[in-house]
Amino acid sequence: MADDTTNQGIPEPEGHSDIIDTDYEIGQDNIETQIGPFGLDIHNPVFLISGLSIIAFVFYTLALPEQAGAAFSWLFGAVTKGFDWFFLGAANIFVIFCLLLIVTPAGSVRLGGAEATPDYSYVGWFAMLFAAGMGIGLMFYGVSEPMSHFSSSFGGTVVGEDGVRTDWAPLGAAAGDEQAAVRLAFAATIFHWGLHPWAIYAVVALALALFSYNKGLPLTIRSAFYPLLGERVWGWWGHAIDVLAVFATLFGLATSLGFGATQANAGLNELFGIPVGATTEVVLISVITAIALISVLRGLDGGVKVLSEINMGLAFGLLLFVLVAGPTLALLTGFADYLLAYLEYLPALSNPVGREDVNFMQGWTSFYWAWWISWSPFVGMFIARVSRGRTVREFVICVLLIPSLVCVLWMSVFGGVAIHQVLADGYTAAQEASLELKLFKMLDVLPLAGITSLIGIVLVVVFFVTSSDSGSLVIDTITAGGKVDAPVPQRVFWCIFEGAVAIVLLLSAGGLSSLQSMVISTGLPFTVVLLVMCWAIWRGLMAERR
């Protein structure tokens, strides 16, 4: 098995490692063929089932947009209302599990074998983590989420005729208390962007890295289930797991691409008067998908890595500018205060039962956890690809704690400036704007507004490109049976269809809500997959220590 993994681009373990003895060979179920100038090396039946299903979905949504929109809307309500407790409870388990790995002896296991060395420097590693894991979301929600929670918290609770709250404030709100509303708003925002989402990513990434680099199994989601299913993992059980991972990844990415296109369109309208609407968004997705194709052709090191480092430089440059141009001292002191507020409100925010803030819990938290879980196969596999050579403890600390702190800093600065503009200056344009416009309205009253807004649009576009490219790489690996060096045309196929799914869902009756509905529906079954992964990781780490 070790020789096969080496031949397929996955290095064999260096030093001691508990390699699983299996007769399965990477690519043994693959179909290798040539269609004109294009070579194909696809897993049968994972590629065929997932590819044909996505094509059928695209045609259905285009042919019957009203019917599709109604179905998507029903899905969203059914899953968020019926399974909100499940999403919250599962996410809590992922955080606790990751924290345990840091403090237990299992953290000393090295991914790739006892003598493995890291493939990337810390700078290159962190750059790829951020670009893949949080990109478009930070740009879209950096101002809009803290501001939304502040406005709803400050407005207090509203109870309908049936006795159920109709407001969107987290927990019990903070009616009329500015400072309390600010702290609650940032606690809720950090809750959605801190430990919980990164724990979701860490579980999938660790499972993939452990069972591929240490156990000698293919780099696919099914490999993590070997301790549970044994050799059956190579049959239909495994096929179903990998197909589900493809669907979750595709719809999670499509949702993010939809948000990115909407925000880029809003920014271009603000700067250059380009019309806002579905036509412009379709053009944007098409053009950016074409740019992503170029990145796909350049490969991981020449495409994603280079763009990620450029993007990280631009993002931290913009962050530093907003920090200096805004109320710097208040933002820095706020950063520490908001972290304390997060810890203070964390037990209540993570409570999965008996909540009165149903709109916040279902419309914000349930959606977020499903979105992160849908992204987890994509981000998890990408993190696994670039994390070989790290110890489990180093891996979890870097993937869980450090990115969480950076996300807190980002939200504290961007959201803090916007809220300060309301409270200190009476400037309410960002507060009153739509979600996708809030960032640009906040930048409007800072120096060099035109330049910083343009940088914001560029960041959205490049995050869009790196997400699409990385997602194509991951889906292609899954649908090629774990091969990491499958023919490039396959990755091109998935890159094109990621854009196509985002376009057809935006064009359907529900628009962005249709994207949210699909990510919720695929996130639900994949939550079960992640829970099983926690058990499999522990079993695998204990075998490594022995």
Side-chain angles (χ1 to χ4, degrees):
M1 190 67 197
D3 290 338
D4 288 323
T5 57
T6 303
N7 292 336
Q8 301 306 333
I10 301 172
E12 63 179 293
E14 299 175 37
H16 169 75
S17 189
D18 180 57
I19 296 178
I20 290 175
D21 184 20
T22 175
D23 293 331
Y24 182 83
E25 296 182 5
I26 296 178
Q28 71 175 36
D29 297 324
N30 283 22
I31 299 172
E32 296 185 47
T33 186
Q34 193 82 13
I35 300 178
F38 305 117
L40 295 179
D41 190 354
I42 57 177
H43 186 280
N44 178 36
V46 173
F47 183 95
L48 297 175
I49 292 174
S50 51
L52 291 175
S53 298
I54 295 299
I55 292 171
F57 174 84
V58 167
F59 279 109
Y60 163 70
T61 309
L62 284 175
L64 300 169
E66 294 292 333
Q67 185 184 90
F72 299 152
S73 177
W74 175 84
L75 263 177
F76 186 83
V79 176
T80 54
K81 293 176 182 176
F83 295 92
D84 50 359
W85 59 271
F86 181 61
F87 283 124
L88 268 72
N92 293 340
I93 290 172
F94 303 143
V95 173
I96 294 168
F97 177 70
C98 287
L99 294 176
L100 282 174
L101 290 179
I102 294 175
V103 299
T104 59
S108 62
V109 173
R110 187 171 294 276
L111 300 174
E115 298 174 12
T117 55
D119 294 331
Y120 296 96
S121 67
Y122 276 113
V123 173
W125 190 36
F126 288 151
M128 289 188 279
L129 287 181
F130 289 119
M134 291 286 182
I136 291 173
L138 285 178
M139 298 302 297
F140 192 90
Y141 286 109
V143 172
S144 62
E145 184 168 354
M147 181 61 79
S148 296
H149 295 328
F150 166 74
S151 298
S152 60
S153 297
F154 188 67
T157 59
V158 180
V159 180
E161 294 179 358
D162 56 358
V164 177
R165 278 175 54 179
T166 58
D167 62 274
W168 285 79
L171 302 180
D177 187 335
E178 289 181 352
Q179 198 53 42
V182 171
R183 296 185 83 248
L184 181 55
F186 278 102
T189 301
I190 295 168
F191 176 58
H192 291 151
W193 291 86
L195 295 177
H196 285 74
W198 285 98
I200 290 168
Y201 292 162
V203 166
V204 179
L206 185 54
L208 289 166
L210 178 66
F211 285 94
S212 179
Y213 297 139
N214 293 62
K215 309 295 185 182
L217 299 182
L219 190 65
T220 60
I221 304 296
R222 72 171 74 195
S223 293
F225 285 74
Y226 193 93
L228 177 67
L229 298 173
E231 291 295 314
R232 288 176 295 168
V233 81
W234 314 124
W236 280 101
W237 280 103
H239 301 337
I241 291 167
D242 279 349
V243 168
L244 179 60
V246 171
F247 290 157
T249 303
L250 197 75
F251 288 117
L253 274 169
T255 302
S256 298
L257 302 186
F259 280 126
T262 303
Q263 188 174 31
N265 190 183
L268 290 170
N269 174 262
E270 185 78 2
L271 283 180
F272 307 113
I274 293 174
V276 172
T279 302
T280 306
E281 289 167 9
V282 168
V283 171
L284 276 171
I285 292 176
S286 302
V287 170
I288 297 170
T289 300
I291 299 171
L293 286 174
I294 297 172
S295 180
V296 163
L297 296 172
R298 289 179 59 86
L300 182 64
D301 290 336
V304 177
K305 183 173 181 288
V306 171
L307 285 174
S308 298
E309 290 176 346
I310 292 171
N311 228 25
M312 190 173 76
L314 282 174
F316 278 93
L318 183 61
L319 175 69
L320 185 61
F321 172 81
V322 174
L323 176 64
V324 172
T328 308
L329 184 60
L331 295 174
L332 292 176
T333 54
F335 171 73
D337 186 39
Y338 304 150
L339 270 177
L340 291 174
Y342 165 61
L343 295 175
E344 176 186 333
Y345 286 110
L346 180 59
L349 288 168
S350 56
N351 172 31
V353 293
R355 298 275 291 269
E356 294 182 0
D357 53 341
V358 288
N359 281 343
F360 172 81
M361 180 181 174
Q362 295 171 358
W364 280 98
T365 306
S366 288
F367 165 66
Y368 262 136
W369 290 176
W371 190 13
W372 299 140
I373 289 166
S374 290
W375 261 56
S376 65
F378 147 51
V379 180
M381 186 174 290
F382 188 74
I383 292 174
R385 285 285 301 270
V386 299
S387 299
R388 183 180 170 277
R390 308 288 177 184
T391 66
V392 169
R393 184 172 294 111
E394 178 187 16
F395 173 91
V396 174
I397 289 173
C398 290
V399 173
L400 182 64
L401 300 181
I402 296 175
S404 294
L405 288 174
V406 174
C407 289
V408 174
L409 179 62
W410 183 279
M411 296 293 184
S412 299
V413 170
F414 282 78
V417 168
I419 292 174
H420 183 271
Q421 290 171 346
V422 173
L423 299 180
D425 306 327
Y427 175 75
T428 60
Q431 185 179 28
E432 295 165 357
S434 58
L435 290 179
E436 62 270 13
L437 259 180
K438 289 184 185 294
L439 170 66
F440 303 108
K441 292 297 184 183
M442 180 274 287
L443 292 173
D444 262 353
V445 291
L446 296 181
L448 307 174
I451 295 173
T452 54
S453 293
L454 184 59
I455 290 173
I457 296 170
V458 170
L459 279 169
V460 170
V461 170
V462 182
F463 276 133
F464 196 144
V465 171
T466 53
S467 297
S468 180
D469 186 358
S470 306
S472 305
L473 176 73
V474 168
I475 295 176
D476 183 40
T477 301
I478 297 172
T479 56
K483 289 190 175 183
V484 297
D485 54 358
V488 173
Q490 294 168 206
R491 218 186 316 163
V492 170
F493 169 84
W494 289 114
C495 186
I496 291 170
F497 267 86
E498 286 159 20
V501 169
I503 287 171
V504 298
L505 285 173
L506 279 173
L507 291 176
S508 71
L512 269 179
S513 62
S514 293
L515 288 164
Q516 294 173 318
S517 302
M518 291 312 299
V519 83
I520 280 278
S521 62
T522 53
L524 177 61
F526 210 76
T527 306
V528 179
V529 171
L530 265 68
L531 289 169
V532 178
M533 277 183 172
C534 292
W535 172 81
I537 289 169
W538 188 257
R539 284 280 304 271
L541 290 175
M542 290 302 99
E544 287 290 310
R545 283 188 55 74
R546 284 197 297 272

